[in-house]
Amino acid sequence: MSRPVPNPGILDIAPYTPGKTPVPEPGRKVFKLSANETPFGPSPKAIEAFKNVATHLEDYPEGTSRVLREAIGRSFGLDPNRIICGAGSDEILNLLAHTYLSQGDEAISTTHGFLVYPIATMAVGAKNVIAQETNLTCDVDAILKAVTPKTKLVWLANPNNPTGTYVPFDEVKRLRAGLPSHVLLVLDAAYCDYVSRNDYEMGIELVATTENTVVTHTFSKIHGLAALRIGWMFGPEHIIDAVNRIRGPFNVSTPAMYAAVAAIEDTAHQAMSKQFTETWRNWLTEEIGKLGLKVTPGVANFVLIHFPEKGTTSDAADAYLTKRGLVLRALKNYGLPHSLRMTIGTEEANRLVVDGLRDFLAGK
Ligand SMILES: *Cc1c(COP(=O)(O)O)cnc(C)c1O
């Protein structure tokens, strides 16, 4: 008997394996440092805005996220008509794949790129092409070499997750200049708010001056609104128009919209979080380095810790820290089987991780 068959490519997607449920020893407080969430939560003003709309949950949202597009426009100096909002930037990445890729097309991402990219690519039957990184960093020449006549799209998280490394803006411009003009370049700036480097930009200038580049951003990281699922994209008018045609008419909820408006306007909350993250990223990099473990120098809100391939393995370290209530992210499905990613947490959490790693390495 015949039965429904998924479209080509769907069953090639590795099924999503959820993070393990941490079971620490009795009496240990649990610190979730595995999903790059902020230890501060959202701005109190965002929580207040969220509560204020709870009195009208019977009404459909305004379908174009107008108040939020205007707030983003004010905050970044952008035309709100060139912004689209989504249920997380994940939704927007998938909408881009649906709009610009089909069976037989190729999309390029890098060795340790964000896992949503291959899923979005393969979900529409396109081929996921991997460009090799150099020193866990995107290599523009490798991407350009991977281009074929079938290439339609390039995914680039800058800074990247899970490596935490970034590409200087000059290199991003060189990538754009080297790609054929019909190839869409997607710059995913989920972590841009944490970067303070003179040679970094999220890419707004490039989007504003080309017809084939978009930048996506999220409220899940520095704004602390991951639970509400809200992200946005800035792009050329013709791309916004095309994506709007397949977007769900009410894809962003009213509470998400208003909480995000309050969050983006609370610049003090963002500045505090950025400063804290930088201080503790430096501290963690140095202290973990002193223990003899390699840490990739990152610019986002997490650190990437490398373990030897034999002996003191990352699996054992992960299990040891988990018992102490410290939940980091193992990266096997990112092709980094000997590394753990640690989201920068509260001062208490950060100190406990360093103490935990020290005890682990001492065989305690
Ligand atoms: C966290 C993250 C996002 C944000 O996803 P949302 O769907 O907006 O929560 C996007 N890109 C990368 C690389 C991320 O790590």
Side-chain angles (χ1 to χ4, degrees), residues 88-90 114 117 157 161 188 190-191 218 220-221 229:
S89 40
D90 282 3
F114 188 41
Y117 308 151
N161 171 24
D188 177 346
Y191 299 97
T218 181
S220 301
K221 304 289 152 65
R229 311 306 306 124

Side-chain angles (χ1 to χ4, degrees), residues 38 40-46 75 193-194 222-223 260-277:
T38 172
F40 298 110
S43 157
K45 291 172 188 149
S75 147
D193 313 279
Y194 293 107
I222 205 163
H223 296 295
V261 170
I264 206 167
E265 288 173 352
D266 191 345
T267 50
H269 189 75
Q270 293 157 49
M272 175 278 296
S273 177
K274 181 179 182 178
Q275 182 58 54
F276 176 95
T277 303

Side-chain angles (χ1 to χ4, degrees), residues 108 110 131-134 137-147 154 156 158 166-179 185 187:
I108 301 173
T110 63
Q132 291 305 309
E133 293 168 1
T134 304
T137 308
C138 159
D139 178 338
V140 165
D141 293 308
I143 294 179
L144 292 175
K145 266 191 213 129
V147 172
V154 173
L156 180 65
N158 198 26
Y166 78 104
V167 187
F169 193 46
D170 279 349
E171 281 289 282
V172 176
K173 285 197 272 197
R174 189 165 75 81
L175 172 63
R176 178 65 273 174
L179 290 171
L185 174 60
L187 301 172

Side-chain angles (χ1 to χ4, degrees), residues 148-291:
T148 77
K150 292 179 178 167
T151 307
K152 290 281 172 62
L153 193 152
V154 173
W155 305 106
L156 180 65
N158 198 26
N160 185 47
N161 171 24
T163 56
T165 55
Y166 78 104
V167 187
F169 193 46
D170 279 349
E171 281 289 282
V172 176
K173 285 197 272 197
R174 189 165 75 81
L175 172 63
R176 178 65 273 174
L179 290 171
S181 62
H182 68 273
V183 171
L184 176 63
L185 174 60
V186 180
L187 301 172
D188 177 346
Y191 299 97
C192 70
D193 313 279
Y194 293 107
V195 188
S196 35
R197 295 292 177 97
N198 290 335
D199 59 355
Y200 174 82
E201 277 181 48
M202 72 186 281
I204 284 191
E205 176 202 320
L206 195 58
V207 175
T209 56
T210 55
E211 286 292 313
N212 44 20
T213 309
V214 297
V215 62
T216 63
H217 201 3
T218 181
F219 283 90
S220 301
K221 304 289 152 65
I222 205 163
H223 296 295
L225 295 174
L228 291 183
R229 311 306 306 124
I230 180 124
W232 56 277
M233 167 173 83
F234 172 59
E237 248 162 81
H238 71 100
I239 293 179
I240 297 298
D241 172 59
V243 174
N244 260 328
R245 288 168 196 252
I246 63 163
R247 178 177 64 78
F250 306 107
N251 64 330
V252 176
S253 75
T254 311
M257 231 182 270
Y258 281 90
V261 170
I264 206 167
E265 288 173 352
D266 191 345
T267 50
H269 189 75
Q270 293 157 49
M272 175 278 296
S273 177
K274 181 179 182 178
Q275 182 58 54
F276 176 95
T277 303
E278 191 162 331
T279 302
W280 285 94
R281 190 174 59 221
N282 291 340
W283 185 84
L284 284 162
T285 304
E286 193 175 317
E287 293 298 317
I288 296 171
K290 279 190 212 157
L291 300 176

